[in-house]
Each structure stands twice: as structure tokens, then as C-alpha cells.
Amino acid sequence: MSRIHRLPTSVVNKIAAGEVIERPASVVKELMENAVDSGATHIEVSLKDGGLEMIRVADNGCGISADDMPLAIAAHATSKIANADDLFRVSTLGFRGEALASIAEVSQLKLRSRTGDSDVGHELLINGGQLEPMAPCGCPIGTVVEVASLFFTTPVRQKFLRTMQTEMGHTVEAFTRIALAHTHIHMVLRHNDRVVHDLPAQESLPSRIGSFFGDDVRQALIAVGGDDNGVKLDGYVVDPIHSRSHNRLQYVFLNGRHIRERSLQHALSEAYRGLLLTGRYPIAFLNLSMPADAVDVNVHPAKQEVRFLDGGRIYSLVLGAIRNKFLTTDLTARTQTADSSATNLGSSSREPTPAAAGTDWRGPSAPLVATHHQLSDYQQREMSLSDDRRITDWTAGPSMLGRSSLGGADSFRPFPDQAVQRRVDMPEAVLPPARDRGRALQVHNRYLITESAEGIIVIDQHALHERIIYEQLREKVLSGALESQKLLVPEPVPLSPTEFALVAEATGTLAQIGIAVEPFGGTTMLVSAYPAMLANHNPAEMLRSVVEQLNQSDSKLERRDVLDELLHMISCKAAVKAGDRLTPAEVDALIEHRTLCQDAHHCPHGRPTSLVFSREELDRRFKRT
């Protein structure tokens, strides 16, 4: 066994480089962060072959003095912290003193810099960690760092680099994150002498978002903001009509630093719950600001992971601000004219406006501030339905049943026989005008057409009825008033061992939605009660549908998530179907109850319930313009 010994400095630096520098994008990130910290107002990034051949970052910041230049490329040398206590009040992007030393160890690095009080700049060349003598040079005030032959001293790491196109994609992403967080800085990105992005300073965040993601996303931005005892949130979320199959367009910044934080991603998903189809992810650009001592950014060398002092409060702030903004925003899908011959489905074209300074978007009906573990309970998740926000209990009386649920023998009674009541908390601007309600026509036994002040609205009868039933069920589950019907003769349902285990584990959750089950020997479950609104559905088929839903759910889902998915399923089964012929009274009932929903724009699965065709679009189609 060999004796313990100290590693050479070169090996230590290579280990550090392995933690900090993964690919050309890592170099761009570290050098751009240094440029931002230097107070630069202009930063240029130039690449060759996606950064595989050369990376050059130039800024007009404060520069580095000749005396400090050798220290700038030394390990753990920094001007940004002085002692251990400073780690808990970091106000800069970089602070660990590893970046330049790590980059210099695995590349050929050229460093040029000049301060404002010097007439001449200085240049340092470092070849794989070997420092050459410093020499004077002519250069403007600021710093220029050139990196070539990345990982030439660590060939194994070099083998793991991808194609030029892949590495370029990662590098553009690193540039994008910093450019979105610091719109006050003029930033330029060049690749092989071609300008990729030229982003002037002082432009708004929506304008910069449009530069990266296009006008469709920019025009669909919805401003959000909030403040909770010194923790401030501002930024934009995107209308649910635009989504992605991944979560990579969720940009969250903390005090100007891009971060990836799971609880905030979860809060964002919760805010969009029921607005997106399964497997789709929202788009968002959110800025959080808080005292530096309220967060630990020294969790990982890459500095993207952070640890909040009070994560539950921040979770509540993000969830409450977005959810309440949606409650006061018209999310109805509208047609948009892409050109003279095509119409695209999109959100209403609206120029986003920043959240007013000091405005608390949560308003008087804001969700109560709760800790993260409290929010993990299903009922606490529905805190946004505070007493003054809850829908007036219009669900009392006959169950809301579609003709398909009644087998066609009974009269169709989708709603109770009580007057429709307007939700008192919904702003008048969000509710459809009075003439939207009634005067509706059913076409093809699946769509309802009604007039609005804006034009005409085409409504998917199944999607709208499904949303109404879902919100009714949710209210009843929260109040413990969901009707359950006991079977005169309990129904045995044979299951596979895996299915039996799923049902046994979810017994408590099933009871909340009115399904009572118990073991009946072997892997058979006995259904003794199930939701009254599904009285004409076969109990065995119902339980198997539940098993299928449980089987499709991620095993890591919490009980509230499973419960919500089951409510979605029941709503879908109980709602009128495409092809069901409705009477004029039934059509009017659907239109009337549309105004009672918290979200009348989407079914529980995230599909739009309606589509608006504006008068302008109709006039254009009929050649009136």
C-alpha cells in the first residue's frame, strides 16, 4: 500500500477543472460571469467551430491591474470574498477563484487586460498551466480572454466532447442565460466570424426574449410579480397555448444568477396544472431577488444549485403569483393570421407589460403563505380556493350527468335547478359579455357556437362539461361532500398481483373520490361503493380504469397528484361526449355555467375548451377588408 502524499498543484487544478469546466459552454459561462462582475456594459463572445477551436470573450469592464494578473490565474485567488462569512452573503456571480485557473490548466489561454488608471495593458500566456512571462501590450480598458485547444492536456475529457453543432448549442444556451439575466449589458455572440446575436443594452426583457425565442413567445408573455417580506418576484410566464415537450425553456434567475431548483420547477408545474396536456411543460422567465444571506449559492462548483433559507415561502410566492395572475387573465384561445392564406391557433396577441413596482399581484384573495411540506397535502394545494374565492356551492342537488352516463333512459340534467350565480371574485373583464351566454347553436353534435363582443366563440361541449364537472368534484372532495353510492351486491374484481398492490396502496385516495374497495381473497378486490354520478357505469370497468390510471402514474407522484388524475378520469367519463345531441336548454346550461369555472379556458387535461374567431378575421376571410 502506497503512502499518503500531497497531489501536485497541476493535478489539483485538473481535478478542479473537471468539476467546473465540462465543455466549451462552461468556459463561456465562467468568462461571461467574470465580465458581468467587472461592471462591463459591453461583452462580446467569439467562437470558432462551436468553441472547440477557440473561445474569445472581451469586455469593457474595470480590467485587471498588472500586479494582480498572475494572481488572476492562480487557484482560489479572488477579489470577491475575503473570509468564510462572505460565503453566506455572496452578491457576485463568481467568487470561488477557480474559473481562470481551471481553464488555464486544460487549454492555451491568453489574458489581456488594462485598467482605467493605466496607459498600457498587459498580456499573460498560459500553456497547459505553464505561465510565461508577462509583457506589456496595447489594448482598450477592460479584459480579453482567449482560450484555444481546450482539454489538450486531458485527452480523455476531449474524447467526450460532441460534434461542433452540439457544442455550439450548449454554448448558445450559456450565452442566452446570461443575456436574459442582464438586459442592461450590450451582448454580442459571433460564430466563425458571423454574428449570431447582437443584443443592444437597455432593451426590455420581452424584447430580448423575442430575440431568442421569436415573436410568438414574446406576444404570449404574461407579466407576473409579487413581494413577500423582502423576497421579490417579477418576470413573465407564457400563455398555456405555447408549451414544450421538455422543461428547458423554464428560466429562473436569482439575484442575476441562472439557477435550476426543483421546488421552483414544481411550483411552476403546479401553477399550470390543468392548463397543459400531459407531457407538456410551461415556458417561463422569472426573476427572484432576495437578501444574499437568505440563500446559499455555494452548493456546487457550477453554482447553478442553491439552497434557500425558507424554501416554502418562496415556493408559495411563485405558485400564488402565477396562479392568481391566471385567475384574472383571459386565456381563451384565439385564431391568428399568419399570412394571407393561413390561420394559426394561438393566444391573444397582447404586448406584455411589466409588473408595477411594489404591486402585489396576489391581491386580497391571495393564497396564504404556507411551508413546502404543508403544500404537499392535497387540500393545502388548493389554498388558492380561499373562502372568498371558492365558487358558490352551485353543486348541490342532482348530480351533473351526461346522457352517456344515464344510458339514455333518464332525462339529461347536467346542472342543478338553481339560478346561475356569477363568481363574485372574477373581474368583469375576464367574464364573457352577457350576450356570450345563451343564443348558442350546437353543430355536428360536438361544438357549440355563440356570439361575443369580439366575434364568435366555438366551444368543445365535452371539454367544457369536463372542466365544469372537474371543478364540481374538486369542491366536493375538499369539503368531504362527494356523493358515494353503496352497491346492494358488492362487485368482485379479479386483478393481477401488480394491479392488486396498486389498488391496496391507494385505498385511502380512492375513498376520497367515493370508491370503497376491500380485499376479497387472493388478488381480487371487492367494490362496495363508487361515485353516485357514475351510477350507470359498470363498477368493475370503473376500477380497471382506475388501475390503468394508477399504473400510468409515476410511482413518485404524491397522493394529491394521483387523486387529481382520478378526478380528471371521472370528469371525462361523466361529461357529455362528442356526438351527444343536446337540447337548447342543455346548450344554454353549458354556456351559463361556463362563467362559474375558475378556468373555463381548458379542460382538466389541458385541451382548450373554446376558440375565438375575431370579427377582423371573419371580415378578412369574407374579403370585407
Side-chain angles (χ1 to χ4, degrees), residues 47-112:
L47 307 170
K48 286 187 179 179
D49 295 340
L52 295 171
E53 183 178 336
M54 189 274 294
I55 300 167
R56 182 178 186 271
V57 178
D59 68 66
N60 65 348
C62 63
I64 306 171
S65 67
D67 293 339
D68 284 345
M69 283 186 70
L71 276 175
I73 51 91
H76 306 302
T78 179
S79 62
K80 298 169 185 176
I81 62 173
N83 53 57
D85 291 339
D86 290 343
L87 290 173
F88 300 100
R89 46 176 178 265
V90 173
S91 59
T92 55
L93 299 181
F95 58 90
R96 300 167 68 102
E98 294 174 321
L100 283 177
S102 298
I103 296 169
E105 190 65 40
V106 295
S107 70
Q108 295 173 336
L109 184 145
K110 180 189 293 184
L111 174 64
R112 291 182 179 179

Side-chain angles (χ1 to χ4, degrees), residues 22 87 179 192 283 293 320 361 390 412 525 545 558 569 606 612:
E22 299 179 5
L87 290 173
N192 293 340
I283 305 171
D293 59 1
W361 284 108
R390 290 188 183 277
F412 175 69
M525 278 288 181
S545 297
E558 298 177 17
M569 184 199 68
V612 172

Side-chain angles (χ1 to χ4, degrees), residues 367-543:
L368 303 174
V369 175
T371 62
H372 194 189
H373 76 272
Q374 287 174 316
L375 285 167
S376 67
D377 180 81
Y378 179 79
Q379 189 162 353
Q380 289 295 331
R381 183 176 66 78
E382 297 299 320
M383 291 165 62
S384 58
L385 299 177
S386 52
D387 289 341
D388 58 338
R389 182 173 295 279
R390 290 188 183 277
I391 302 172
T392 304
D393 189 10
W394 55 276
T395 61
S399 297
M400 185 161 52
L401 298 173
R403 183 176 281 113
S404 59
S405 300
L406 292 170
D410 300 300
S411 61
F412 175 69
R413 293 168 60 85
F415 307 103
D417 298 326
Q418 61 187 75
V420 174
Q421 300 180 44
R422 180 185 297 263
R423 279 185 52 207
V424 296
D425 67 304
M426 182 177 283
E428 185 70 29
V430 177
L431 285 171
R435 64 178 185 172
D436 283 7
R437 302 186 289 278
R439 299 178 59 182
L441 174 70
Q442 185 187 34
V443 296
H444 299 299
N445 290 349
R446 66 178 62 201
Y447 297 116
L448 312 179
I449 299 178
T450 185
E451 179 187 15
S452 74
E454 189 176 356
I456 61 173
I457 304 175
V458 180
I459 298 170
D460 183 325
Q461 65 185 37
H462 172 74
L464 176 58
H465 198 193
E466 188 179 3
R467 163 55 65 175
I468 296 170
I469 293 175
Y470 167 74
E471 294 196 5
Q472 174 196 25
L473 284 172
R474 184 179 61 180
E475 288 294 306
K476 286 183 174 291
V477 167
L478 291 177
S479 63
L482 185 65
E483 298 94 345
S484 181
Q485 174 176 305
K486 286 190 173 295
L487 299 177
L488 292 177
V489 179
E491 177 111 5
V493 182
L495 301 170
S496 71
T498 301
E499 293 172 336
F500 182 87
L502 286 171
V503 174
E505 186 177 351
T507 299
T509 301
L510 296 179
Q512 286 188 267
I513 59 173
I515 302 176
V517 295
E518 57 185 274
F520 190 60
T523 59
T524 298
M525 278 288 181
L526 198 65
V527 181
S528 58
Y530 69 122
M533 67 162 38
L534 297 177
N536 286 277
H537 279 273
N538 184 286
E541 291 180 3
M542 178 66 190
L543 185 61

Side-chain angles (χ1 to χ4, degrees), residues 4-209:
I4 296 174
H5 62 280
R6 288 183 179 274
L7 290 173
T9 302
S10 177
V11 176
V12 172
N13 288 342
K14 284 185 173 64
I15 293 173
E19 294 177 334
V20 179
I21 309 301
E22 299 179 5
R23 57 194 343 142
S26 306
V27 175
V28 171
K29 170 186 177 293
E30 297 292 343
L31 296 182
M32 287 188 72
E33 286 182 346
N34 282 345
V36 171
D37 284 343
S38 74
T41 59
H42 187 100
I43 300 174
E44 290 196 15
V45 179
S46 302
L47 307 170
K48 286 187 179 179
D49 295 340
L52 295 171
E53 183 178 336
M54 189 274 294
I55 300 167
R56 182 178 186 271
V57 178
D59 68 66
N60 65 348
C62 63
I64 306 171
S65 67
D67 293 339
D68 284 345
M69 283 186 70
L71 276 175
I73 51 91
H76 306 302
T78 179
S79 62
K80 298 169 185 176
I81 62 173
N83 53 57
D85 291 339
D86 290 343
L87 290 173
F88 300 100
R89 46 176 178 265
V90 173
S91 59
T92 55
L93 299 181
F95 58 90
R96 300 167 68 102
E98 294 174 321
L100 283 177
S102 298
I103 296 169
E105 190 65 40
V106 295
S107 70
Q108 295 173 336
L109 184 145
K110 180 189 293 184
L111 174 64
R112 291 182 179 179
S113 193
R114 176 188 159 200
T115 60
D117 57 1
S118 177
D119 296 329
V120 64
H122 290 80
E123 179 181 275
L124 267 179
L125 299 177
I126 306 97
N127 190 359
Q130 300 301 310
L131 181 64
E132 297 185 8
M134 185 170 60
C137 68
C139 65
I141 296 173
T143 302
V144 179
V145 181
E146 289 187 13
V147 177
S149 303
L150 186 62
F151 297 131
F152 85 98
T153 63
T154 53
V156 174
R157 177 59 64 89
Q158 200 171 40
K159 291 179 181 178
F160 282 92
L161 293 176
R162 303 301 181 184
T163 63
M164 179 191 74
Q165 292 80 3
T166 299
E167 295 302 335
M168 181 62 185
H170 287 288
T171 303
V172 171
E173 176 63 20
F175 177 89
T176 300
R177 292 172 178 177
I178 296 177
L180 289 174
H182 303 279
T183 59
H184 63 287
I185 302 176
H186 184 179
M187 296 189 182
V188 180
L189 175 62
R190 290 187 175 89
H191 184 232
N192 293 340
D193 298 323
R194 180 179 66 86
V195 175
V196 179
H197 289 294
D198 189 344
L199 310 171
Q202 301 301 329
E203 64 177 17
S204 65
L205 178 56
S207 178
R208 195 158 276 197
I209 290 171

Side-chain angles (χ1 to χ4, degrees), residues 190-438:
R190 290 187 175 89
H191 184 232
N192 293 340
D193 298 323
R194 180 179 66 86
V195 175
V196 179
H197 289 294
D198 189 344
L199 310 171
Q202 301 301 329
E203 64 177 17
S204 65
L205 178 56
S207 178
R208 195 158 276 197
I209 290 171
S211 298
F212 287 114
F213 307 107
D215 282 342
D216 283 350
V217 170
R218 181 184 63 82
Q219 292 176 1
L221 295 174
I222 301 172
V224 295
D227 189 342
D228 187 352
N229 294 326
V231 178
K232 294 184 178 180
L233 169 71
D234 66 86
Y236 300 88
V237 293
V238 174
D239 191 301
I241 200 67
H242 297 279
S243 63
R244 294 293 186 270
S245 60
H246 52 79
N247 63 3
R248 292 191 292 276
L249 262 65
Q250 296 175 6
Y251 291 89
V252 180
F253 303 98
L254 171 64
N255 295 341
R257 180 195 310 278
H258 177 267
I259 62 171
R260 303 285 293 181
E261 216 281 331
R262 288 186 179 181
S263 70
L264 297 184
Q265 290 176 326
H266 188 273
L268 190 57
S269 296
E270 286 294 288
Y272 276 82
R273 179 183 287 272
L275 303 180
L276 297 177
L277 292 171
T278 302
R280 305 298 294 182
Y281 293 86
I283 305 171
F285 308 87
L286 303 175
N287 298 299
L288 282 166
S289 59
M290 64 184 69
D293 59 1
V295 60
D296 181 5
V297 298
N298 191 34
V299 177
H300 188 273
K303 301 187 292 293
Q304 282 199 356
E305 299 176 21
V306 299
R307 186 178 295 114
F308 295 114
L309 190 63
D310 188 353
R313 182 160 63 104
I314 297 165
Y315 181 98
S316 299
L317 174 62
V318 173
L319 174 59
I322 299 173
R323 202 62 181 147
N324 279 278
K325 185 62 175 179
F326 284 162
L327 287 173
T328 57
T329 300
D330 183 3
L331 300 177
T332 304
R334 287 167 169 78
T335 58
Q336 287 185 327
T337 302
D339 51 41
S340 59
S341 62
T343 300
N344 294 334
L345 180 65
S347 61
S348 56
S349 177
R350 52 175 174 269
E351 187 69 21
T353 54
T359 300
D360 187 350
W361 284 108
R362 294 172 299 163
S365 300
L368 303 174
V369 175
T371 62
H372 194 189
H373 76 272
Q374 287 174 316
L375 285 167
S376 67
D377 180 81
Y378 179 79
Q379 189 162 353
Q380 289 295 331
R381 183 176 66 78
E382 297 299 320
M383 291 165 62
S384 58
L385 299 177
S386 52
D387 289 341
D388 58 338
R389 182 173 295 279
R390 290 188 183 277
I391 302 172
T392 304
D393 189 10
W394 55 276
T395 61
S399 297
M400 185 161 52
L401 298 173
R403 183 176 281 113
S404 59
S405 300
L406 292 170
D410 300 300
S411 61
F412 175 69
R413 293 168 60 85
F415 307 103
D417 298 326
Q418 61 187 75
V420 174
Q421 300 180 44
R422 180 185 297 263
R423 279 185 52 207
V424 296
D425 67 304
M426 182 177 283
E428 185 70 29
V430 177
L431 285 171
R435 64 178 185 172
D436 283 7
R437 302 186 289 278

